[in-house]
Amino acid sequence: DAGITQSPRYKITETGRQVTLMCHQTWSHSYMFWYRQDLGHGLRLIYYSAAADITDKGEVSDGYVVSRSKTENFPLTLESATRSQTSVYFCASSEQGYYNEQFFGPGTRLTVL
Amino acid sequence: KNQVEQSPQSLIILEGKNCTLQCNYTVSPFSNLRWYKQDTGRGPVSLTIMTFSENTKSNGRYTATLDADTKQSSLHITASQLSDSASYICVVRAGGSYIPTFGRGTSLIVHP
């Protein structure tokens, strides 16, 4: 299907485990983003990527790792999950350009016990 | 530091009534401002974009305004419907950057 997809949609894990959240887009957009959304904080940028093999940290990147070997995929890994990483995670993509609207995936709800 | 502040934090109105949401920003230099609508359990979706030269733009029952001098934007919803219940997020992009600054959103509840 065309668009931007995330998997899994729901995930429960335990403290200390490694977790990978997947993001896939079919538009060949240059930019991809990972956000977390918590009550009272709105959307906060974790990592972003301007192109394949180019990634950069956002404001809340500690404890997270990303990679982008292909334009269409942008996985987010929690190296050792902590309870504070319980959140809803959104992936987004956008074209490079003045109007660069971000298109968001449906989100992954992650619970760390 | 670039910041986007939205008010009110939450709002409850009756179906059929109008409402206005506010967004103040300190992003500089200004490039554009978007309003997103986020339904519960879904990702945000763009409603409209405002550029420096635009004062008003409508998208159906949604009308956005921009005052670049005072660095304020508003989103006016006319004749609200139950489906308007959502979070509305103001997002501002600075010139030269593809990384936008997000507001925390206004949660709107429309009651029948």
Side-chain angles (χ1 to χ4, degrees):
Chain A
D1 290 341
I4 183 165
T5 57
Q6 293 183 235
S7 62
R9 293 294 315 279
Y10 303 90
K11 177 73 177 179
I12 299 175
T13 191
E14 295 178 337
T15 302
R17 291 192 180 267
Q18 184 179 79
V19 177
T20 296
L21 310 183
M22 305 301 293
C23 179
H24 176 77
Q25 53 107 351
T26 61
W27 295 303
S28 298
H29 284 168
S30 299
Y31 279 81
M32 295 189 75
F33 308 81
W34 273 108
Y35 295 91
R36 61 178 290 174
Q37 188 173 39
D38 306 288
L39 213 57
H41 286 280
L43 284 155
R44 291 184 290 174
L45 182 64
I46 304 171
Y47 266 98
Y48 66 97
S49 168
D53 297 322
I54 301 175
T55 62
D56 211 342
K57 295 180 178 180
E59 61 179 309
V60 291
S61 60
D62 287 347
Y64 302 95
V65 174
V66 293
S67 63
R68 196 168 175 205
S69 57
K70 293 184 178 181
T71 298
E72 61 267 29
N73 296 324
F74 191 38
L76 174 73
T77 297
L78 288 65
E79 295 181 295
S80 178
T82 64
R83 289 198 180 93
S84 65
Q85 292 177 311
T86 293
S87 185
V88 180
Y89 291 85
F90 287 99
C91 178
S93 70
S94 71
E95 292 179 318
Q96 182 172 347
Y98 180 78
Y99 293 104
N100 66 330
E101 175 181 353
Q102 290 197 2
F103 295 88
F104 286 81
T108 294
R109 182 174 293 276
L110 176 68
T111 301
V112 183
L113 301 176
Chain B
K1 181 181 177 182
N2 292 333
Q3 286 189 315
V4 176
E5 300 289 339
Q6 292 187 241
S7 62
Q9 191 172 0
S10 60
L11 183 61
I12 301 174
I13 61 174
L14 291 175
E15 187 178 13
K17 298 295 186 182
N18 304 335
C19 67
T20 300
L21 314 180
Q22 300 290 344
C23 174
N24 296 338
Y25 61 91
T26 58
V27 176
S28 184
F30 176 81
S31 177
N32 61 58
L33 182 150
R34 281 189 185 273
W35 284 94
Y36 283 84
K37 178 186 180 188
Q38 184 178 19
D39 292 317
T40 301
R42 294 177 177 265
V45 175
S46 178
L47 287 173
T48 186
I49 180 173
M50 304 293 291
T51 60
F52 187 86
S53 58
E54 296 172 309
N55 298 116
T56 303
K57 184 178 284 187
S58 292
N59 177 3
R61 294 180 297 101
Y62 300 100
T63 299
T65 66
L66 175 67
D67 185 333
D69 292 331
T70 61
K71 298 186 177 181
Q72 295 180 327
S73 175
S74 66
L75 180 69
H76 185 76
I77 304 174
T78 303
S80 60
Q81 300 177 358
L82 298 180
S83 60
D84 293 330
S85 295
S87 178
Y88 293 83
I89 304 170
C90 177
V91 183
V92 183
R93 189 168 76 84
S97 171
Y98 290 102
I99 312 305
T101 302
F102 284 75
R104 294 184 178 184
T106 292
S107 175
L108 174 66
I109 299 174
V110 180
H111 277 312

